[in-house]
């Protein structure tokens, strides 16, 4: 298991993230639009080695969403005007 942080807008519209695997390589994973905090993405065959085989388990990536806490008044007004009904 690992975690990756994205911002709220990336969670809303979807994005691609780069994830470092246990073997040291970096893979690209898709975050679907509307992803909620704590959602897990499965990356097949990039997890822990399976004993006595040449196979690997899956790597699970928990998506954490960074919600800004220090918006300016102007930013708050823009968000309220465009997104709050």
């Amino acid at each position: 298991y690992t975690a990756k942080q994205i911002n709220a807008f990336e969670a809303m519209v979807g994005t691609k993230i780069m994830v470092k695997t246990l073997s040291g390589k970096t893979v690209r994973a898709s975050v679907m639009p509307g992803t909620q905090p704590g959602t897990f993405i499965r990356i097949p065959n990039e997890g822990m080695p399976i004993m006595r085989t040449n196979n690997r388990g899956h790597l699970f990536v928990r998506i954490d969403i960074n919600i800004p806490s220090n918006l300016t008044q102007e930013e708050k007004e823009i968000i309220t005007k465009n997104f709050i009904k």
Side-chain angles (χ1 to χ4, degrees):
Y1 288 86
T2 189
K4 194 72 173 179
Q5 194 170 75
I6 63 174
N7 67 48
F9 296 108
E10 291 170 322
M12 286 187 273
V13 301
T15 189
K16 302 278 189 199
I17 58 173
M18 301 305 287
V19 179
K20 189 168 185 169
T21 67
L22 296 174
S23 64
K25 67 181 178 178
T26 302
V27 296
R28 179 180 283 201
S30 295
V31 177
M32 300 305 293
T35 294
Q36 300 298 308
T39 297
F40 282 92
I41 296 173
R42 180 175 59 95
I43 303 176
N45 307 314
E46 292 296 341
M48 294 290 292
I50 299 172
M51 290 179 56
R52 299 182 188 93
T53 71
N54 284 334
N55 299 325
R56 288 183 163 274
H58 305 307
L59 176 62
F60 292 91
V61 183
R62 185 186 71 234
I63 301 299
D64 294 331
I65 299 175
N66 181 19
I67 310 267
S69 59
N70 57 349
L71 295 174
T72 66
Q73 186 60 37
E74 181 182 1
E75 290 168 329
K76 289 178 186 177
E77 290 171 4
I78 291 169
I79 290 170
T80 301
K81 178 182 176 187
N82 293 298
F83 300 106
I84 307 297
K85 295 187 183 215

